[in-house]
Amino acid sequence: MQQQRCRARWPLGKVCASCYGYVRSHPRPCATCGRTRPLIGPGPDGRGTCGECSGAANAYLCVSCGSGRETDRSPRCARCILRERLADEFTDSASQVPAELRPLTDALLRVPKARSILVWLDKPSGAAACLRQLVAAGIPLSHEALDAAGPGQGPASLRATLIHLGILPPRNEALAALKPWLERILAELPSQHRHTLRAYAEWSVLRQARRRAARTRFTSAGAARVRHTIRCAAYLLTWLSNQDLSLADLTQTDVDRWLSEHSGRRQVGNFLRWAHHRNLTGEHEVPDRPRDDPHRWWDQANHWAHLQRCLRDEALPLDVRAAGSVMLLYGIPITRITELTATELTDGNEPSLILGKDPVLLPPAVHRILRRQADQAQPDSAIGRTTRRTAWIFPGYAAGTRRSAATLARKLRRHGLPAHPARNTALLTLASDLPASVLSEALGISITSALGWTRRAARDWNAYLTSRPTHAPREREQDGGIPHTVT
């Protein structure tokens, strides 16, 4: 047994520095009075008692409010210190906290651990520092003000919190972030090409993105495709500048040479067609390369084994089991999985999940896992845990946000569930049993994509189709609660 120097003498006896710090930082209900205090005295049945009930000279209570919580670092509790800090932290030129910040300060005071907010306030860069700068400068809180604060986790986290609390209206962040990103790209472009790229980006690419966002989902994956389209056009214009060529002087030979050295054939073809229609360049031919068919999938035995892992392996994290089950059964992209809400999951005798236009019946085993995930999901944000206004089945880091698709995909890969083979196998299986129209409406994918999968499933996929067992759907359902078809 390791011997340590005595830190204090309590009714319990002598305590070392480690035990002293642990007891003071972990107050619990007293066995005698029931109040939450540092338990420094003996009690009945081995349960501890607080200093007041055990007759100690120092009960380690806050000198301001008498609380026994979070008093291990100061005579005053962390919540009293936080209340005082918030009264002076975000003051304007009149030394007043703006009224629009009252929902934020009230929510900060309600978090379970006030010391975590004190740490948040002391960070030299982040959401608190960004908010201090805006309030001190007298800038009203708005999306435009946060856009001007620049990129980074601080403004993004602050924006999510303000939206979650109703201080700012919601907006599509994937779409809104494209405009400031475009300004940064234009600043790096040769000056003679900035006007051309701005016109192409704003009046063609971004215009199409806004139209899509108005009628359907526009996710971070869609924003990534928009950035890639604009970036390919920027690469071509930069290359022309390095070759001492103008867009008007571009020849088919130059186009062929560029295509042989760079990627982005389809994106550059779209840009050149746009430029030709505006008489900025001649007519150039950019032949499309045929898309490669999916070549990564699992045989049916491996696919079924992974699905059984998600349904039965309690060692897997619950969010991995929930996301993996939906992905393996229905081939849903991770971007859509992260958008699932508790309102899209229904219970009852026929549990279902809305993935497309109509609800899709869920096997009981999958429904149980999704319901557990929806009920037990905890936001990472302290304010998110306090307010609980989110309906996301997979909540994210900032208050009111959903998990990012990249974060969830990395976690699935770490547990042996890569997205590509899982989705490809599921979609090939479904497409071999369902017509394209049903597949499109049930899963919420485009009819073009659904037709592509049904055509692939109709071919002779020797490496895949020969591995499929001939079990009847009812036998599968009895084995693990997973029907072979979507109903």
Side-chain angles (χ1 to χ4, degrees):
M1 180 181 294
Q2 185 180 4
Q3 294 185 351
Q4 297 188 31
R5 183 176 299 179
C6 176
R7 176 65 174 81
R9 288 179 173 85
W10 288 343
L12 280 171
K14 296 180 180 180
V15 291
C16 65
S18 298
C19 294
Y20 176 88
Y22 180 83
V23 171
R24 289 207 56 187
S25 60
H26 293 78
R28 292 172 181 165
C30 173
T32 301
C33 66
R35 292 176 295 182
T36 301
R37 301 281 191 268
L39 304 184
I40 63 175
D45 303 327
R47 295 179 296 166
T49 57
C50 66
E52 291 179 317
C53 295
S54 59
N58 188 352
Y60 303 108
L61 304 181
C62 175
V63 298
S64 296
C65 68
S67 171
R69 300 176 184 269
E70 297 186 286
T71 61
D72 53 307
R73 300 185 186 181
S74 172
R76 302 171 64 207
C77 69
R79 196 163 302 278
C80 286
I81 297 174
L82 175 61
R83 186 178 291 106
E84 186 177 275
R85 286 279 303 273
L86 290 177
D88 300 327
E89 195 75 23
F90 306 115
T91 56
D92 54 21
S93 57
S95 300
Q96 298 291 326
V97 178
E100 60 183 346
L101 287 183
R102 185 56 59 85
L104 174 62
T105 56
D106 291 346
L108 292 174
L109 284 172
R110 292 197 306 269
V111 300
K113 294 184 178 181
R115 182 165 290 113
S116 65
I117 305 302
L118 292 174
V119 173
W120 177 74
L121 292 174
D122 290 335
K123 289 183 178 180
S125 61
C130 178
L131 182 58
R132 271 194 298 268
Q133 294 172 1
L134 293 176
V135 174
I139 302 175
L141 293 179
S142 64
H143 285 296
E144 292 73 20
L146 291 175
D147 290 340
Q153 186 62 36
S157 176
L158 177 59
R159 188 196 309 275
T161 301
L162 297 179
I163 292 174
H164 179 66
L165 295 174
I167 299 175
L168 289 181
R171 72 172 187 178
N172 189 318
E173 289 304 316
L175 180 64
L178 292 174
K179 191 65 181 294
W181 172 86
L182 175 61
E183 296 301 325
R184 295 193 294 271
I185 291 295
L186 291 173
E188 301 171 358
L189 199 67
S191 56
Q192 65 270 26
H193 295 307
R194 290 175 187 169
H195 176 75
T196 301
L197 185 62
R198 181 185 294 278
Y200 173 64
E202 291 187 349
W203 294 104
S204 179
V205 185
L206 293 183
R207 187 179 183 183
Q208 293 176 12
R210 286 190 289 268
R211 287 178 175 175
R212 180 178 179 183
R215 69 176 185 268
T216 184
R217 298 165 49 242
F218 187 83
T219 65
S220 57
R225 288 190 291 269
V226 169
R227 288 192 294 269
H228 180 58
T229 299
I230 297 174
R231 197 179 285 117
C232 287
Y235 289 159
L236 175 63
L237 293 174
T238 302
W239 181 82
L240 289 176
S241 180
N242 294 337
Q243 302 295 319
D244 292 328
L245 294 172
S246 66
L247 194 57
D249 298 332
L250 186 66
T251 65
Q252 184 63 45
T253 301
D254 298 324
V255 172
D256 294 339
R257 183 155 61 100
W258 192 91
L259 292 175
S260 66
E261 299 172 355
H262 301 82
S263 60
R265 177 180 297 265
R266 180 180 293 109
Q267 290 75 18
V268 168
N270 293 337
F271 170 68
L272 290 178
R273 282 189 290 272
W274 174 88
H276 172 65
H277 292 156
R278 284 149 186 82
N279 298 320
L280 300 177
T281 189
E283 186 174 4
H284 305 294
E285 185 175 341
V286 182
D288 285 338
R289 287 179 178 173
R291 290 188 176 184
D292 295 332
D293 284 324
H295 59 279
R296 297 175 58 192
W297 60 76
W298 290 317
D299 59 48
Q300 197 71 3
N302 282 331
H303 189 238
W304 187 247
H306 284 298
L307 188 54
Q308 289 299 312
R309 280 183 61 214
C310 292
L311 295 178
R312 298 177 178 178
D313 190 353
E314 294 290 339
L316 283 177
L318 182 58
D319 57 345
V320 171
R321 297 177 65 194
S325 298
V326 176
M327 181 175 65
L328 287 162
L329 187 60
Y330 299 113
I332 301 301
I334 296 180
T335 53
R336 177 66 182 99
I337 293 175
T338 58
E339 294 177 345
L340 294 175
T341 63
T343 57
E344 294 174 318
L345 179 64
T346 59
D347 303 323
N349 295 330
E350 294 185 343
S352 63
L353 181 66
I354 298 177
L355 299 173
K357 293 182 179 180
D358 301 316
V360 175
L361 294 183
L362 284 177
V366 177
H367 172 260
R368 286 193 294 269
I369 293 176
L370 279 174
R371 174 51 62 192
R372 283 177 56 191
Q373 171 63 25
D375 293 341
Q376 300 178 18
Q378 285 287 340
D380 292 330
S381 165
I383 292 181
R385 291 193 298 271
T386 301
T387 56
R388 290 292 295 176
R389 293 181 185 174
T390 182
W392 302 116
I393 294 180
F394 300 93
Y397 174 78
T401 60
R402 63 178 183 268
R403 188 93 54 91
S404 74
T407 300
L408 184 57
R410 285 194 297 268
K411 191 169 185 178
L412 289 169
R413 283 197 301 271
R414 286 199 304 268
H415 290 87
L417 293 170
H420 283 157
R423 289 194 62 227
N424 290 344
T425 307
L427 288 170
L428 280 171
T429 303
L430 293 171
S432 65
D433 296 330
L434 298 173
S437 58
V438 175
L439 193 66
S440 174
E441 293 187 1
L443 303 185
I445 62 178
S446 68
I447 188 63
T448 302
S449 178
L451 286 169
W453 283 107
T454 54
R455 282 194 295 267
R456 295 181 188 107
R459 299 176 191 169
D460 185 16
W461 293 82
N462 292 325
Y464 172 74
L465 294 178
T466 57
S467 68
R468 291 185 58 185
T470 58
H471 299 310
R474 178 57 57 187
E475 294 173 336
R476 292 177 175 274
E477 190 170 356
Q478 293 173 352
D479 184 31
I482 306 297
H484 184 58
T485 60
V486 180
T487 56

